[in-house]
Amino acid sequence: MAAPAPEERLDVLTAAGDKTGVSKPRSEVHRDGDYHRAVHVWIYCESTGELLLQRRADCKDSWPGQWDISSAGHISAGDSSLSSARRELQEELGIKLPVDAFELIFVFLHECVINNGTYTNNEYNDVYLVTTLTPIPLEAFTLQESEVSAVRYMHRDEYKSCLAAESGEYVPYDVNGQYGQLFSIIEERYKDNTESRSLTLQKQISRYAPIHLEPELTTLSEGDKEALGYILKASMVIDEIFYEQVWNSNTMLRDWLKAHADSSSLDSLKWAYYSINKSPWSCLDENKAFLSTADSAVKLLTDATKPISGWKGLEYRAAFPLDKPRGANFYPADMNKMEFDLWKSGLTDKEQKDATGFFTVIKRPDALLTTSVAQSDGPNQTNTSDDLFIVPYSKEYKASLEKAAELLLEASDCSDCPSLKNLLRTKANAFLSNDYYESDIAWMELDSNIDVTIGPYETYEDGLFSYKATFEAFVGVRDDVATSQVKLFGDQLEDLEKNLPLDNIYKSDNVSAAPIRVMNLLYNSGDVKGPQTIAFNLPNDERIVNERGTSMVMLKNISEAKFKNILKPIANACIREEQKEYVDFEPYYTHIVCHECCHGIGPHSITLPGGKKSTVRMELQECHSALEEAKADIVGLWALNFLINKGLLPKSLSKSMYVSFLAGCFRSIRFGLEEAHGKGQALQFNWLYDKGAFILHSDGKFSIDFTKVEEAVESLGREIMTIQAKGDKPAAQSLLQSRATLTQPLRVALEKIEHMQVPVDIAPIFGTASKLLANN
């Protein structure tokens, strides 16, 4: 006689839902009333409006014989939520579905006592929705007799009514409480609101002013013109990688929306706004979803259940979460920070460095079963446990990176510029080796009429830790005159570092001059969604920053377009008449230059109180990006004043830079407080307002108090850089929570701007690049 299977163990949670590190047998968990976690999986048929219910087996120790969720079960100790949802659906109903069928719609805490006080259920339930087009034939189910005695479909309204009436046939859920979200989400998703949705999307799209970018190519040699065609094609490949990085089914949704864009005016608008955001989440609305799973791609599975004669198979909507995944597609969808930290603590130093590095993704073994990575355990894949493991970008995006590398090598062969040839060659090698050090040095040394930035750089998309870099490409034509004009700022970095409003113990002795290149943008791709960048300061690799500093690229035609179409109208709406004259392109652009330079000074590599070496990015994690953007902004203002006092900049900037900066605050905050620049700008505005440097008048317009602004700017610069130098994440969180908020003065300004219908940003149209690609 076979020995009985060991009882299932569950992770014991705190009352707040965090793991305690203790697991217990299931029976003891319910006996003792321990908090634990489970999954609920609802199957919804959109053509009939019905939910699938299961009747619980009569032998169950809780709610026997009652109608309940399509499928549900505990998350066993050490298991993940999503893998548990898939397993329960297959075990209980015989339905095997891929990850993209499951949409996590909310988390529900169920607290109750039943069975005469002998069974306490304190359960956090991850509630998933699976959306099918048509009902699954009842004969297609394979029921697990020990769990399920029957299944049936029931219209959602009828089921909701039965729950509200507390019918004894159904496991009770409070439809007027948390669990009512199930019904409200479905109802909102499927109500007939085509006209209102179209109007909303039209309004959202209108926030972006279309701008035609057609820089001249007359300075390029014939060889470089030929190289440019290959560079643009490589940049298009980079776009493909970024779509994949945002979310695991993003590419499929993009292709579906594009294919159906001509089906109706609403479908056309969906595609237009998706193309701006490169995802179903709106950048300007704090990443609120403007689409739902009901808008998503339809997939057919012929083997999800046992075969049924005459039935073609299970058609479902590829799901995506209402909330943008904080970890993007760099980590498993159901991984949280605590799980990552617990896993990381068991790694070697080398593995920890890889896990937190820029150029790796973190996966679960079950998530890789359908990918080529799972077929290999080569040297580039670090499998450190049975749960999470590390995959380098060169492996994760192998096919795309090989294609991009080939195109860059073709471009290198065509070019007759030595530094451009070297950049393209080393970047191609980096795509295949996952080592970007040499190519980043080559990028800093670029001296070419074609300016190219291509590869993984920014970490804004990683909302969990700010560890992982997204791919991007910027291709432009260098502006030699403008480049010579901004050389001053790079040359002054060392002096600026020495005089920073920061305790000397935290200042660096190894600041190098930052080369500055000015270009007119020809084409961009990858992580360029939503609001367009006007400049960037790279690389982010702390090794290179410590050894050689950084380099800066300014996009002059983008800056000009934003000033003309956005900043000037904002100033007209929000700045007092007597100070409006100070808003000018020169101080606006000069501060942009100084902002980028100031990314290269201040704390980067730091020493913690115990003597441990670290970096600001590693210590501040998700707080890093917003605080670093705020630092570059506010220290940039301080630096301009410092250079004016040294006689290196004209005194005419001393007032205009502050007024132009104030108008710029309103511009950036419109990006939303989920975005690093918007959050950092709100922090600065509120600090300066609270210090009396910014004044709101009774007419709803603003001005600068020039007697207070200099001291207020310096005090905020000191506050931010001290937090960075100490790696003080609690202080960073406190500063952002208290200051990076939408206060009443900001609301006043934003309402004025909204009333005047000022665009929030621009949407570039790459005319010259399109012609080049059409001819290649």
Side-chain angles (χ1 to χ4, degrees), residues 50-77:
E50 295 175 316
L51 289 162
L52 180 76
L53 305 183
Q54 67 155 269
R55 186 177 180 276
R56 296 172 65 83
D58 291 334
C59 61
K60 295 289 291 181
D61 54 7
S62 59
W63 298 285
Q66 291 179 293
W67 290 98
D68 198 5
I69 307 152
S70 309
S71 175
H74 292 99
I75 300 175
S76 300

PDB file of all heavy atoms in Angstrom, residues 50-77:
ATOM      1  N   GLU A  50     -21.095  35.278 -19.709  1.00  0.00           N
ATOM      2  CA  GLU A  50     -21.229  34.270 -18.650  1.00  0.00           C
ATOM      3  C   GLU A  50     -19.891  33.971 -17.972  1.00  0.00           C
ATOM      4  O   GLU A  50     -18.840  34.012 -18.605  1.00  0.00           O
ATOM      5  CB  GLU A  50     -21.786  32.967 -19.234  1.00  0.00           C
ATOM      6  CG  GLU A  50     -23.206  33.082 -19.762  1.00  0.00           C
ATOM      7  CD  GLU A  50     -23.663  31.798 -20.429  1.00  0.00           C
ATOM      8  OE1 GLU A  50     -22.872  31.224 -21.207  1.00  0.00           O
ATOM      9  OE2 GLU A  50     -24.808  31.370 -20.162  1.00  0.00           O
ATOM     10  N   LEU A  51     -20.003  33.647 -16.689  1.00  0.00           N
ATOM     11  CA  LEU A  51     -18.864  33.163 -15.912  1.00  0.00           C
ATOM     12  C   LEU A  51     -18.991  31.661 -15.733  1.00  0.00           C
ATOM     13  O   LEU A  51     -20.098  31.138 -15.575  1.00  0.00           O
ATOM     14  CB  LEU A  51     -18.819  33.831 -14.540  1.00  0.00           C
ATOM     15  CG  LEU A  51     -18.431  35.311 -14.505  1.00  0.00           C
ATOM     16  CD1 LEU A  51     -18.852  35.945 -13.181  1.00  0.00           C
ATOM     17  CD2 LEU A  51     -16.930  35.495 -14.725  1.00  0.00           C
ATOM     18  N   LEU A  52     -17.864  30.979 -15.746  1.00  0.00           N
ATOM     19  CA  LEU A  52     -17.870  29.531 -15.479  1.00  0.00           C
ATOM     20  C   LEU A  52     -17.798  29.304 -13.976  1.00  0.00           C
ATOM     21  O   LEU A  52     -16.924  29.856 -13.296  1.00  0.00           O
ATOM     22  CB  LEU A  52     -16.681  28.861 -16.165  1.00  0.00           C
ATOM     23  CG  LEU A  52     -16.600  27.346 -15.945  1.00  0.00           C
ATOM     24  CD1 LEU A  52     -17.643  26.629 -16.812  1.00  0.00           C
ATOM     25  CD2 LEU A  52     -15.205  26.815 -16.244  1.00  0.00           C
ATOM     26  N   LEU A  53     -18.726  28.509 -13.447  1.00  0.00           N
ATOM     27  CA  LEU A  53     -18.714  28.141 -12.026  1.00  0.00           C
ATOM     28  C   LEU A  53     -18.400  26.664 -11.886  1.00  0.00           C
ATOM     29  O   LEU A  53     -18.753  25.852 -12.749  1.00  0.00           O
ATOM     30  CB  LEU A  53     -20.077  28.427 -11.390  1.00  0.00           C
ATOM     31  CG  LEU A  53     -20.655  29.843 -11.508  1.00  0.00           C
ATOM     32  CD1 LEU A  53     -21.974  29.927 -10.746  1.00  0.00           C
ATOM     33  CD2 LEU A  53     -19.677  30.868 -10.974  1.00  0.00           C
ATOM     34  N   GLN A  54     -17.775  26.315 -10.778  1.00  0.00           N
ATOM     35  CA  GLN A  54     -17.585  24.907 -10.437  1.00  0.00           C
ATOM     36  C   GLN A  54     -18.325  24.605  -9.144  1.00  0.00           C
ATOM     37  O   GLN A  54     -18.422  25.452  -8.255  1.00  0.00           O
ATOM     38  CB  GLN A  54     -16.104  24.566 -10.270  1.00  0.00           C
ATOM     39  CG  GLN A  54     -15.413  25.217  -9.083  1.00  0.00           C
ATOM     40  CD  GLN A  54     -14.189  24.453  -8.575  1.00  0.00           C
ATOM     41  OE1 GLN A  54     -14.320  23.610  -7.683  1.00  0.00           O
ATOM     42  NE2 GLN A  54     -13.015  24.756  -9.135  1.00  0.00           N
ATOM     43  N   ARG A  55     -18.847  23.385  -9.076  1.00  0.00           N
ATOM     44  CA  ARG A  55     -19.471  22.929  -7.821  1.00  0.00           C
ATOM     45  C   ARG A  55     -18.419  22.167  -7.034  1.00  0.00           C
ATOM     46  O   ARG A  55     -17.836  21.200  -7.523  1.00  0.00           O
ATOM     47  CB  ARG A  55     -20.677  22.040  -8.107  1.00  0.00           C
ATOM     48  CG  ARG A  55     -21.452  21.651  -6.851  1.00  0.00           C
ATOM     49  CD  ARG A  55     -22.680  20.821  -7.207  1.00  0.00           C
ATOM     50  NE  ARG A  55     -23.433  20.451  -6.034  1.00  0.00           N
ATOM     51  CZ  ARG A  55     -23.166  19.385  -5.254  1.00  0.00           C
ATOM     52  NH1 ARG A  55     -22.135  18.601  -5.550  1.00  0.00           N
ATOM     53  NH2 ARG A  55     -23.898  19.121  -4.193  1.00  0.00           N
ATOM     54  N   ARG A  56     -18.164  22.641  -5.813  1.00  0.00           N
ATOM     55  CA  ARG A  56     -17.135  22.037  -4.986  1.00  0.00           C
ATOM     56  C   ARG A  56     -17.533  20.618  -4.585  1.00  0.00           C
ATOM     57  O   ARG A  56     -18.714  20.336  -4.330  1.00  0.00           O
ATOM     58  CB  ARG A  56     -16.893  22.887  -3.730  1.00  0.00           C
ATOM     59  CG  ARG A  56     -16.350  24.275  -4.051  1.00  0.00           C
ATOM     60  CD  ARG A  56     -16.304  25.174  -2.829  1.00  0.00           C
ATOM     61  NE  ARG A  56     -15.363  24.704  -1.816  1.00  0.00           N
ATOM     62  CZ  ARG A  56     -14.061  24.932  -1.825  1.00  0.00           C
ATOM     63  NH1 ARG A  56     -13.521  25.630  -2.822  1.00  0.00           N
ATOM     64  NH2 ARG A  56     -13.284  24.493  -0.858  1.00  0.00           N
ATOM     65  N   ALA A  57     -16.563  19.735  -4.553  1.00  0.00           N
ATOM     66  CA  ALA A  57     -16.829  18.333  -4.196  1.00  0.00           C
ATOM     67  C   ALA A  57     -17.411  18.252  -2.785  1.00  0.00           C
ATOM     68  O   ALA A  57     -17.108  19.066  -1.908  1.00  0.00           O
ATOM     69  CB  ALA A  57     -15.536  17.524  -4.289  1.00  0.00           C
ATOM     70  N   ASP A  58     -18.257  17.248  -2.560  1.00  0.00           N
ATOM     71  CA  ASP A  58     -18.920  17.088  -1.258  1.00  0.00           C
ATOM     72  C   ASP A  58     -17.929  16.750  -0.142  1.00  0.00           C
ATOM     73  O   ASP A  58     -18.249  16.925   1.043  1.00  0.00           O
ATOM     74  CB  ASP A  58     -19.986  15.989  -1.352  1.00  0.00           C
ATOM     75  CG  ASP A  58     -21.157  16.422  -2.229  1.00  0.00           C
ATOM     76  OD1 ASP A  58     -21.402  17.641  -2.341  1.00  0.00           O
ATOM     77  OD2 ASP A  58     -21.821  15.536  -2.810  1.00  0.00           O
ATOM     78  N   CYS A  59     -16.739  16.284  -0.507  1.00  0.00           N
ATOM     79  CA  CYS A  59     -15.755  15.909   0.507  1.00  0.00           C
ATOM     80  C   CYS A  59     -14.870  17.068   0.962  1.00  0.00           C
ATOM     81  O   CYS A  59     -14.021  16.898   1.841  1.00  0.00           O
ATOM     82  CB  CYS A  59     -14.864  14.778  -0.030  1.00  0.00           C
ATOM     83  SG  CYS A  59     -13.935  15.242  -1.521  1.00  0.00           S
ATOM     84  N   LYS A  60     -15.068  18.244   0.391  1.00  0.00           N
ATOM     85  CA  LYS A  60     -14.221  19.386   0.732  1.00  0.00           C
ATOM     86  C   LYS A  60     -14.468  19.809   2.180  1.00  0.00           C
ATOM     87  O   LYS A  60     -15.594  19.739   2.684  1.00  0.00           O
ATOM     88  CB  LYS A  60     -14.503  20.568  -0.204  1.00  0.00           C
ATOM     89  CG  LYS A  60     -14.146  20.311  -1.661  1.00  0.00           C
ATOM     90  CD  LYS A  60     -12.642  20.258  -1.887  1.00  0.00           C
ATOM     91  CE  LYS A  60     -11.990  21.599  -1.698  1.00  0.00           C
ATOM     92  NZ  LYS A  60     -10.538  21.570  -1.937  1.00  0.00           N
ATOM     93  N   ASP A  61     -13.398  20.300   2.860  1.00  0.00           N
ATOM     94  CA  ASP A  61     -13.541  20.691   4.258  1.00  0.00           C
ATOM     95  C   ASP A  61     -14.051  22.121   4.405  1.00  0.00           C
ATOM     96  O   ASP A  61     -14.270  22.599   5.517  1.00  0.00           O
ATOM     97  CB  ASP A  61     -12.227  20.506   5.026  1.00  0.00           C
ATOM     98  CG  ASP A  61     -11.045  21.216   4.382  1.00  0.00           C
ATOM     99  OD1 ASP A  61     -11.266  21.973   3.408  1.00  0.00           O
ATOM    100  OD2 ASP A  61      -9.908  21.031   4.846  1.00  0.00           O
ATOM    101  N   SER A  62     -14.207  22.827   3.296  1.00  0.00           N
ATOM    102  CA  SER A  62     -14.796  24.168   3.334  1.00  0.00           C
ATOM    103  C   SER A  62     -15.805  24.307   2.198  1.00  0.00           C
ATOM    104  O   SER A  62     -15.519  23.934   1.063  1.00  0.00           O
ATOM    105  CB  SER A  62     -13.705  25.246   3.205  1.00  0.00           C
ATOM    106  OG  SER A  62     -12.983  25.105   2.000  1.00  0.00           O
ATOM    107  N   TRP A  63     -16.992  24.781   2.522  1.00  0.00           N
ATOM    108  CA  TRP A  63     -18.092  25.006   1.578  1.00  0.00           C
ATOM    109  C   TRP A  63     -18.349  23.814   0.635  1.00  0.00           C
ATOM    110  O   TRP A  63     -18.403  23.976  -0.587  1.00  0.00           O
ATOM    111  CB  TRP A  63     -17.817  26.271   0.761  1.00  0.00           C
ATOM    112  CG  TRP A  63     -17.733  27.490   1.606  1.00  0.00           C
ATOM    113  CD1 TRP A  63     -18.763  28.163   2.181  1.00  0.00           C
ATOM    114  CD2 TRP A  63     -16.538  28.179   2.004  1.00  0.00           C
ATOM    115  NE1 TRP A  63     -18.302  29.235   2.914  1.00  0.00           N
ATOM    116  CE2 TRP A  63     -16.921  29.274   2.814  1.00  0.00           C
ATOM    117  CE3 TRP A  63     -15.176  27.984   1.744  1.00  0.00           C
ATOM    118  CZ2 TRP A  63     -16.013  30.152   3.378  1.00  0.00           C
ATOM    119  CZ3 TRP A  63     -14.269  28.863   2.296  1.00  0.00           C
ATOM    120  CH2 TRP A  63     -14.684  29.926   3.111  1.00  0.00           C
ATOM    121  N   PRO A  64     -18.487  22.606   1.202  1.00  0.00           N
ATOM    122  CA  PRO A  64     -18.722  21.442   0.334  1.00  0.00           C
ATOM    123  C   PRO A  64     -20.048  21.570  -0.419  1.00  0.00           C
ATOM    124  O   PRO A  64     -21.042  22.077   0.103  1.00  0.00           O
ATOM    125  CB  PRO A  64     -18.759  20.272   1.325  1.00  0.00           C
ATOM    126  CG  PRO A  64     -19.139  20.886   2.633  1.00  0.00           C
ATOM    127  CD  PRO A  64     -18.533  22.252   2.633  1.00  0.00           C
ATOM    128  N   GLY A  65     -20.028  21.154  -1.693  1.00  0.00           N
ATOM    129  CA  GLY A  65     -21.240  21.093  -2.495  1.00  0.00           C
ATOM    130  C   GLY A  65     -21.762  22.433  -2.970  1.00  0.00           C
ATOM    131  O   GLY A  65     -22.832  22.492  -3.591  1.00  0.00           O
ATOM    132  N   GLN A  66     -21.039  23.524  -2.722  1.00  0.00           N
ATOM    133  CA  GLN A  66     -21.523  24.840  -3.140  1.00  0.00           C
ATOM    134  C   GLN A  66     -20.818  25.294  -4.424  1.00  0.00           C
ATOM    135  O   GLN A  66     -19.695  24.884  -4.719  1.00  0.00           O
ATOM    136  CB  GLN A  66     -21.288  25.867  -2.015  1.00  0.00           C
ATOM    137  CG  GLN A  66     -22.157  25.633  -0.790  1.00  0.00           C
ATOM    138  CD  GLN A  66     -21.888  26.654   0.307  1.00  0.00           C
ATOM    139  OE1 GLN A  66     -20.817  26.675   0.903  1.00  0.00           O
ATOM    140  NE2 GLN A  66     -22.862  27.499   0.573  1.00  0.00           N
ATOM    141  N   TRP A  67     -21.542  26.160  -5.176  1.00  0.00           N
ATOM    142  CA  TRP A  67     -20.992  26.689  -6.430  1.00  0.00           C
ATOM    143  C   TRP A  67     -19.987  27.801  -6.126  1.00  0.00           C
ATOM    144  O   TRP A  67     -20.215  28.648  -5.272  1.00  0.00           O
ATOM    145  CB  TRP A  67     -22.106  27.208  -7.332  1.00  0.00           C
ATOM    146  CG  TRP A  67     -22.961  26.089  -7.885  1.00  0.00           C
ATOM    147  CD1 TRP A  67     -24.162  25.663  -7.406  1.00  0.00           C
ATOM    148  CD2 TRP A  67     -22.638  25.260  -8.999  1.00  0.00           C
ATOM    149  NE1 TRP A  67     -24.630  24.611  -8.162  1.00  0.00           N
ATOM    150  CE2 TRP A  67     -23.715  24.338  -9.150  1.00  0.00           C
ATOM    151  CE3 TRP A  67     -21.573  25.191  -9.896  1.00  0.00           C
ATOM    152  CZ2 TRP A  67     -23.731  23.381 -10.152  1.00  0.00           C
ATOM    153  CZ3 TRP A  67     -21.591  24.225 -10.895  1.00  0.00           C
ATOM    154  CH2 TRP A  67     -22.659  23.344 -11.021  1.00  0.00           C
ATOM    155  N   ASP A  68     -18.890  27.773  -6.880  1.00  0.00           N
ATOM    156  CA  ASP A  68     -17.770  28.649  -6.541  1.00  0.00           C
ATOM    157  C   ASP A  68     -17.038  29.098  -7.812  1.00  0.00           C
ATOM    158  O   ASP A  68     -17.491  28.860  -8.934  1.00  0.00           O
ATOM    159  CB  ASP A  68     -16.819  27.900  -5.589  1.00  0.00           C
ATOM    160  CG  ASP A  68     -15.874  28.817  -4.822  1.00  0.00           C
ATOM    161  OD1 ASP A  68     -16.000  30.045  -4.945  1.00  0.00           O
ATOM    162  OD2 ASP A  68     -14.999  28.287  -4.108  1.00  0.00           O
ATOM    163  N   ILE A  69     -15.895  29.667  -7.597  1.00  0.00           N
ATOM    164  CA  ILE A  69     -15.015  30.176  -8.648  1.00  0.00           C
ATOM    165  C   ILE A  69     -14.716  29.082  -9.672  1.00  0.00           C
ATOM    166  O   ILE A  69     -14.689  27.901  -9.340  1.00  0.00           O
ATOM    167  CB  ILE A  69     -13.696  30.636  -7.992  1.00  0.00           C
ATOM    168  CG1 ILE A  69     -13.994  31.616  -6.864  1.00  0.00           C
ATOM    169  CG2 ILE A  69     -12.735  31.245  -8.978  1.00  0.00           C
ATOM    170  CD1 ILE A  69     -12.951  31.602  -5.778  1.00  0.00           C
ATOM    171  N   SER A  70     -14.399  29.494 -10.913  1.00  0.00           N
ATOM    172  CA  SER A  70     -14.061  28.513 -11.953  1.00  0.00           C
ATOM    173  C   SER A  70     -12.989  27.551 -11.462  1.00  0.00           C
ATOM    174  O   SER A  70     -13.082  26.334 -11.644  1.00  0.00           O
ATOM    175  CB  SER A  70     -13.546  29.226 -13.210  1.00  0.00           C
ATOM    176  OG  SER A  70     -14.415  30.238 -13.635  1.00  0.00           O
ATOM    177  N   SER A  71     -11.945  28.102 -10.850  1.00  0.00           N
ATOM    178  CA  SER A  71     -10.864  27.280 -10.317  1.00  0.00           C
ATOM    179  C   SER A  71     -10.160  28.070  -9.230  1.00  0.00           C
ATOM    180  O   SER A  71     -10.023  29.292  -9.335  1.00  0.00           O
ATOM    181  CB  SER A  71      -9.869  26.917 -11.430  1.00  0.00           C
ATOM    182  OG  SER A  71      -8.761  26.218 -10.912  1.00  0.00           O
ATOM    183  N   ALA A  72      -9.733  27.388  -8.193  1.00  0.00           N
ATOM    184  CA  ALA A  72      -9.047  28.078  -7.095  1.00  0.00           C
ATOM    185  C   ALA A  72      -8.176  27.092  -6.339  1.00  0.00           C
ATOM    186  O   ALA A  72      -8.380  25.874  -6.413  1.00  0.00           O
ATOM    187  CB  ALA A  72     -10.051  28.732  -6.143  1.00  0.00           C
ATOM    188  N   GLY A  73      -7.212  27.629  -5.621  1.00  0.00           N
ATOM    189  CA  GLY A  73      -6.362  26.774  -4.819  1.00  0.00           C
ATOM    190  C   GLY A  73      -5.315  27.573  -4.077  1.00  0.00           C
ATOM    191  O   GLY A  73      -5.055  28.736  -4.389  1.00  0.00           O
ATOM    192  N   HIS A  74      -4.735  26.938  -3.078  1.00  0.00           N
ATOM    193  CA  HIS A  74      -3.674  27.583  -2.324  1.00  0.00           C
ATOM    194  C   HIS A  74      -2.403  27.701  -3.168  1.00  0.00           C
ATOM    195  O   HIS A  74      -2.178  26.911  -4.081  1.00  0.00           O
ATOM    196  CB  HIS A  74      -3.352  26.771  -1.069  1.00  0.00           C
ATOM    197  CG  HIS A  74      -4.446  26.776  -0.053  1.00  0.00           C
ATOM    198  ND1 HIS A  74      -5.348  25.733   0.078  1.00  0.00           N
ATOM    199  CD2 HIS A  74      -4.792  27.690   0.888  1.00  0.00           C
ATOM    200  CE1 HIS A  74      -6.190  26.013   1.061  1.00  0.00           C
ATOM    201  NE2 HIS A  74      -5.877  27.197   1.561  1.00  0.00           N
ATOM    202  N   ILE A  75      -1.588  28.676  -2.820  1.00  0.00           N
ATOM    203  CA  ILE A  75      -0.242  28.768  -3.372  1.00  0.00           C
ATOM    204  C   ILE A  75       0.676  28.037  -2.407  1.00  0.00           C
ATOM    205  O   ILE A  75       0.862  28.460  -1.266  1.00  0.00           O
ATOM    206  CB  ILE A  75       0.204  30.238  -3.535  1.00  0.00           C
ATOM    207  CG1 ILE A  75      -0.750  30.981  -4.483  1.00  0.00           C
ATOM    208  CG2 ILE A  75       1.636  30.309  -4.050  1.00  0.00           C
ATOM    209  CD1 ILE A  75      -0.446  32.458  -4.611  1.00  0.00           C
ATOM    210  N   SER A  76       1.201  26.920  -2.845  1.00  0.00           N
ATOM    211  CA  SER A  76       2.048  26.101  -1.977  1.00  0.00           C
ATOM    212  C   SER A  76       3.323  26.844  -1.613  1.00  0.00           C
ATOM    213  O   SER A  76       3.755  27.756  -2.335  1.00  0.00           O
ATOM    214  CB  SER A  76       2.399  24.783  -2.664  1.00  0.00           C
ATOM    215  OG  SER A  76       1.227  24.050  -2.957  1.00  0.00           O
ATOM    216  N   ALA A  77       3.907  26.474  -0.508  1.00  0.00           N
ATOM    217  CA  ALA A  77       5.146  27.110  -0.041  1.00  0.00           C
ATOM    218  C   ALA A  77       6.197  27.081  -1.145  1.00  0.00           C
ATOM    219  O   ALA A  77       6.471  26.026  -1.725  1.00  0.00           O
ATOM    220  CB  ALA A  77       5.659  26.408   1.203  1.00  0.00           C
TER     221      ALA A  77
END
